[in-house]
Amino acid sequence: MAETIFSKIIRKEIPADIVFESDTILAFRDINPQAPVHILIIPKQSIAYTTEIDGKKDAILLGALFDAANQIAKEQGIDKNGFRLVINCGDNGGQEVPHLHMHLLGGRKMKWPPG
Ligand code: AMP
């Protein structure tokens, strides 16, 4: 299992502002928020990846990430006006932490294309 800063957050060894937790998923506020609501949704089981996510092998877990995103968006009050889900993959994608994570961004109008 790849050891990252997120592993320490999952083990509660370093603090995080946790907004959702289940047996398989943890979600917490990004330390460097890019929107009024910026939450990282991660599987507790480390999925190390750079540019390839195995949709078949990890189908249940990936589905749980989206279910959690929907629930958190409602709880954070950003479901009505909309939000953005982002998974950065690899160097060109801007990925910093090699543990699968989905960014949930909302609370303002997003621009396109992203930077
Ligand atoms: P990415 O660039 O997609 O790999 O996203 C990694 C994200 O993790 C960045 O948005 C960071 O701000 C965020 N991050 C890094 N360390 C922490 C931390 N200790 N607590 C919360 N968010 C973090």
Side-chain angles (χ1 to χ4, degrees), residues 2-110:
E3 178 72 16
T4 69
I5 188 88
F6 292 170
S7 316
K8 293 189 171 64
I9 291 174
I10 291 165
R11 295 196 300 264
K12 315 276 170 70
E13 290 170 6
I14 61 170
D17 187 353
I18 293 170
V19 299
F20 174 91
E21 182 165 14
S22 72
D23 287 348
T24 56
I25 304 288
L26 189 69
F28 49 92
R29 293 189 194 282
D30 196 293
I31 204 167
N32 182 23
Q34 302 300 312
V37 176
H38 185 174
I39 290 164
L40 300 174
I41 307 168
I42 70 174
K44 288 182 173 175
Q45 165 201 331
S46 171
I47 299 181
Y49 78 106
T50 50
T51 56
E52 188 173 321
I53 298 168
D54 190 333
K56 287 194 180 63
K57 182 166 77 62
D58 296 318
I60 291 173
L61 207 46
L62 292 169
L65 282 182
F66 282 94
D67 286 344
N70 285 330
Q71 182 177 326
I72 296 164
K74 286 194 185 87
E75 289 168 359
Q76 297 292 322
I78 57 171
D79 56 315
K80 297 281 187 296
N81 287 335
F83 52 84
R84 183 172 288 176
L85 296 175
V86 174
I87 297 178
N88 295 324
C89 296
D91 275 350
N92 275 2
Q95 184 184 8
E96 291 171 5
V97 181
H99 178 129
L100 178 62
H101 54 284
M102 180 186 278
H103 296 253
L104 168 63
L105 297 140
R108 68 168 170 85
K109 182 86 175 167
M110 299 293 157

